[in-house]
Amino acid sequence: MHGKLKTATLSLQHVLAMYAGAVIIPLIVGGAMGLSPEKLTYLVSIDIFMCGIATILQVWKSRFFGIGLPVVLGCTFTAVGPMIAIGEQHGLTTIYGAVIASGLMIMIISKFFGKLVRFFPPVVTGSVVTTIGITLIPVAMNNMAGGEGSADYGSVSNVCLAFGTLILIILLQRFFTGFIRSISILLGLLAGTLAAALMGKVDFSPVADASMFHMIQPLYFGVPTFEWTSIITMFLVAVVSLVESTGVYYALSDITNQKLTEDDLARGYRSEGLASVVGGLFNSFPYTTFSQNVGLVQLSGIKSKNVIYLVGVYLMILGVIPKIGALTTIIPSAVLGGAMVAMFGMVIASGIKMLSRVDLTSQGNLMIIACSVGMGMGVTVVPKMFTHLPENFQILTSNGIVAGSFTAILLNLLFNHSATKQKKSIEIIGQKAS
């Protein structure tokens, strides 16, 4: 019984860690499309439900599908801008047509994409994971202040709640071991929310207004329509997501001590493609691995896939019972922000750990790390730098994670492209490991 309770609690912690990031995308896209409150509620619900389906498809390792790592999937942030642009020009059904078509294309190229594993040595994956963590920190800091655009942004009460939550998590990590340490994030969120409620900063109206049950319907917004420009755009988004996911796969393989093969990567990519196809049919979005949960796996020390299977079940339940799902939305942004600093910081630490296996005496490797991390951080801080470029090209430049990832990949080709250099790099890494 104790083991089951522990698994259930750890799974809930994962859900809380990714829930806000999962619901914000349908809210943004649905709001831009001018959906009614009823349709917006459905859009949020089906997105959460499909996050559960996509997660289970990825964790469950079969002959053709599933990376078999403790990953949690959610809608990719990279897709938000392109989806809004497609919807405004061609309508909502064209978004889903493009999502389905791009998912099928990813499934077709998954085997080929998996063979590109040699282009992702530790200098690339470590840079990508470090960049992922760094570019997520501003999200955490904005939440600590109360959420961008909030009336009390940066107020003393928000700052106190955020740092109170963070300090409690740090103290639990320092002075406790085992189970208490593994659920430190959850305890920090619960304590922070309770403190916020006593301060009158928790709004319970979303729970009161939400319905008890919401039936999931395929093709709820209509039959998908297909338009070539939109399909190509979403395919580019999907490829970018695969690059981002590759970094997350390697971060988790490092944490769980599981060596990834080309076939493993192909199964992971194929699952993401399948999740997009199913998501499009149910009027949801393309999915990618959530880096938020990598930090949670590292922080909790719990690497069991059973925990993530239950995450998928929780998300499916939340997707059909909006009133239960609404309970997670009452956690104040400041409290979430305090916990995010710890989680996203652990993502950075995972990247640095991967980079420690790189030959840092090589000037080329140092240049790869310097430029990719610098570009990722730069685009995050100055997102409007590439606004005058063609819209399709902006898919690669509007996101710090994407920009940093592509910089690392291209520079690795430039500096470490020859078979001889690759062999030397592998030998040096092997000597360091031994």
Side-chain angles (χ1 to χ4, degrees), residues 214-244:
H214 195 122
M215 182 61 72
I216 301 302
Q217 304 172 37
L219 309 180
Y220 178 86
F221 291 106
V223 178
T225 52
F226 300 91
E227 193 271 326
W228 273 111
T229 306
S230 302
I231 291 171
I232 293 170
T233 300
M234 289 309 298
F235 175 68
L236 288 173
V237 169
V239 170
V240 166
S241 294
L242 291 189
V243 174
E244 187 177 330

Side-chain angles (χ1 to χ4, degrees), residues 79-94:
V80 173
M83 284 194 296
I84 291 174
I86 292 169
E88 289 177 342
Q89 188 173 358
H90 302 287
L92 201 58
T93 56
T94 305

Side-chain angles (χ1 to χ4, degrees), residues 49 74 103 107 122 131 181 187 218 232 258 262 280 288:
F49 183 86
M107 291 173 68
T131 301
R181 176 185 283 182
L187 293 176
I232 293 170
Q258 295 184 48
E262 289 182 9
T288 189

Side-chain angles (χ1 to χ4, degrees), residues 19 44 68-69 82 95 112 156 161 167 201 215 227 235-236 249 260 266 283 294 305 319 323 340 342 351 415:
Y19 191 84
V44 172
L69 292 169
I95 294 177
F112 167 75
V156 174
L161 278 173
I167 290 169
K201 296 177 74 69
M215 182 61 72
E227 193 271 326
F235 175 68
L236 288 173
Y249 294 160
L260 289 179
N283 292 154
V294 177
K305 289 193 288 186
K323 193 172 283 291
M340 284 177 178
F415 286 102

